[in-house]
Amino acid sequence: MGVHDSTYAQGMHVVHDGPRQAPPLVLLHGSGASSAFWGPVAGVLAGRHHVIRVDLPGCGQSPPAPSYAVPGQAARVAALLDDLGLRQVAVAGHSSGGFVATSLAEQRPDLVRSLTLVSTGPSLGALLPQPGLVRALLAPPLGPLLWSLRSDAVIRKGIQATTARPVTVPDDAVADLKNIAYRTFRKILRDHTAYVAERSVPARLAGLGRPVLVVFGAADPRWDPRSAHEYDAVPGARVELLPGVGHIPLFEAPEPTSDLMLRFLAAAEDTAPA
């Protein structure tokens, strides 16, 4: 697979997989998660790409930040890519990581060749009621207390509440979630919600002229699976629904997800940016 190492840049923990001379692929996680969520697919993707997994501010092994606004997070990722001397990279985001990927393309189209959005809700109206366990962990006044008492088993149950089939949750993903502070998680959710409430993701993507792959679980309990077709408004966007899969295809269907991404990325590499 080539090089595997981790560094810190622009105040973020960054994991590199695969040969540095291969086409670059940036992977961004969702709210409160970490680069470990991409672990089940990173090895396969690194067979053809220089995979760059980022722990966004306040998540994983990255320190907290004053703000978690999506444009600010995207600006940090842009600065990271500038430091690495990279241009026209493929960018993929899971869940609200797709918001950061989209904002990066909005701000710096010179950096982004293609976008893959996995379980990224297109608009606020597509959001479904959260599972009971997740609501209990987040809602005051008991939320902060329950959060501080979370065990590994409770964290795993919280993750599994968003899936549609049994999954094995990697230990490093559990450890990263256990380390995030309650207030940090609440701030991240608030700022990420504000981004999609301001303007839908398809509306943001429509004029960017970049190849877009949308992967959605057909049984996603977090975002209405039917809303995936809101992305049909993006010229040339490819929408794929995975049967029997919930909100985390990276855990639930790593092989089909990797295959869809690799085929899309290979085609996108032959497409000149608009």
Side-chain angles (χ1 to χ4, degrees), residues 149-159 169 171 174-175 178:
L149 297 175
R150 291 173 304 153
S151 64
D152 289 5
V154 167
I155 291 172
R156 282 190 160 88
K157 286 181 181 179
I159 294 172
V169 182
D171 291 342
V174 174
K178 197 168 187 178

Side-chain angles (χ1 to χ4, degrees), residues 106-122:
E106 288 180 301
Q107 295 180 42
R108 294 287 304 276
D110 60 306
L111 294 179
V112 179
R113 175 174 289 275
S114 67
L115 287 160
T116 299
L117 307 181
V118 181
S119 304
T120 298

Side-chain angles (χ1 to χ4, degrees), residues 73-94:
Q73 291 190 331
R76 283 177 179 256
V77 176
L80 166 66
L81 295 176
D82 286 337
D83 287 350
L84 294 173
L86 296 176
R87 290 290 184 275
Q88 291 302 309
V89 306
V91 184
H94 172 245

